[in-house]
Amino acid sequence: MRSWPEEQTEFIKNTSALLTGDAYRQFCERWPDKSYQAFAVKKAKMNCCKAVHRRLKWRKEWLEFIDTTKGVNRLEAWAQFRQLYPDADVTAQAFHKQRSRRGVADKKPHRGNAHKQIYSESTAKGYVQIKVAEPNVWISKARWVYEETHPGELTEKGDEFHFLNANKFDFSPENIVKIKPKERIFFLQLGGSDTDPDTTRVRLAQAKLRLAQFDLGEKTGTVVRTKSGRRFKKDALRTAKRWSSRPDGREAIIKAQEAETEDK
């Protein structure tokens, strides 16, 4: 690694108030052999890039004044500082940051939703949540409407609640249906919720039928588990025929699967 002469590093130290491009032009007037990239990297490593908070030297009386502004509005504190020290080379941003560092700035509390009353609503990512208990218990409003309108019916944590007309803000009880996690996979494969409630009901019925077929197929041996999930044996056999590239390997797979099917 090529070292930098002391006179070059000393020159770079004195360019902290200059932009990298301006500093490099002055540098090239004396040492034209260095590339811009090497100069910029060296300047950054030496922490000599232009920045207000690095160039600014805070006087003792400025800091003492800042310490006395605890509890004062940020704008009033800045106005008082400018009135006392009109020639100070301090920006408003630097002044407020210094107040924060010294612990005299007012911190705005992050209230979130904890302060809201029960049955308050909040929308996040297009879905409505409702606060049902203290201190900060929120659930899906669709779940809450379903549970309130179906007393005595047990719901599980993994259950999902869909809208028959695909309108996520229509919370009428007749528009909300409960879907089990296993049913949801087939339901989404069939297209999910539609703007036509009847179409959504048909898809939901098809999803339940499809799930029942797979459950029954596992019991009777016509369904196998693969890396991609549960599949009917005839579909798995068709895939094996399509994707096996070696004729002898394909024949062996077909014979083995056919023999397994005949045994069962």
Side-chain angles (χ1 to χ4, degrees), residues 183-226:
E183 298 171 351
R184 174 181 176 273
I185 299 173
F186 300 109
F187 179 67
L188 294 179
Q189 288 176 351
L190 293 167
S193 299
D194 190 84
T195 53
D196 180 15
D198 291 334
T199 303
T200 304
R201 292 189 183 95
V202 171
R203 291 174 180 174
L204 182 56
Q206 290 175 330
K208 292 182 178 180
L209 178 61
R210 192 70 170 168
L211 177 61
Q213 289 175 332
F214 272 93
D215 291 342
L216 181 61
E218 274 197 311
K219 295 179 181 178
T220 59
T222 59
V223 171
V224 294
R225 289 186 177 272
T226 65

Side-chain angles (χ1 to χ4, degrees), residues 59-70:
R59 298 179 183 175
K60 183 178 179 181
E61 58 269 23
W62 297 353
L63 298 178
E64 290 177 351
F65 169 79
I66 289 177
D67 292 338
T68 63
T69 62
K70 186 175 180 62

Side-chain angles (χ1 to χ4, degrees), residues 106-168:
D106 294 333
K107 294 183 179 180
K108 296 181 180 180
H110 179 69
R111 302 182 69 187
N113 291 327
H115 67 285
K116 293 187 177 180
Q117 298 180 353
I118 293 181
Y119 302 128
S120 298
E121 297 180 5
S122 175
T123 304
K125 296 182 179 180
Y127 291 90
V128 180
Q129 302 281 320
I130 186 170
K131 185 174 182 178
V132 295
E134 294 290 357
N136 196 27
V137 182
W138 295 76
I139 64 171
S140 164
K141 186 176 179 180
R143 172 185 285 272
W144 177 77
V145 171
Y146 187 90
E147 291 177 347
E148 289 292 317
T149 54
H150 294 77
E153 182 177 341
L154 296 178
T155 58
E156 299 178 357
K157 184 177 181 181
D159 292 341
E160 293 191 1
F161 300 87
H162 288 248
F163 302 90
L164 290 176
N165 61 2
N167 183 359
K168 294 183 290 187

Side-chain angles (χ1 to χ4, degrees), residues 7-8 32 38 40 54 82 95 106 129 136 142 144 152 159 162 170 177 180 204-205 235 243 255 263:
E7 57 181 346
Q8 293 183 357
R54 293 194 185 110
R82 296 302 302 169
F95 177 79
D106 294 333
Q129 302 281 320
N136 196 27
W144 177 77
D159 292 341
H162 288 248
D170 182 0
V177 292
K180 295 292 183 181
L204 182 56
D235 295 334
W243 293 104
K255 289 180 180 179
D263 292 340

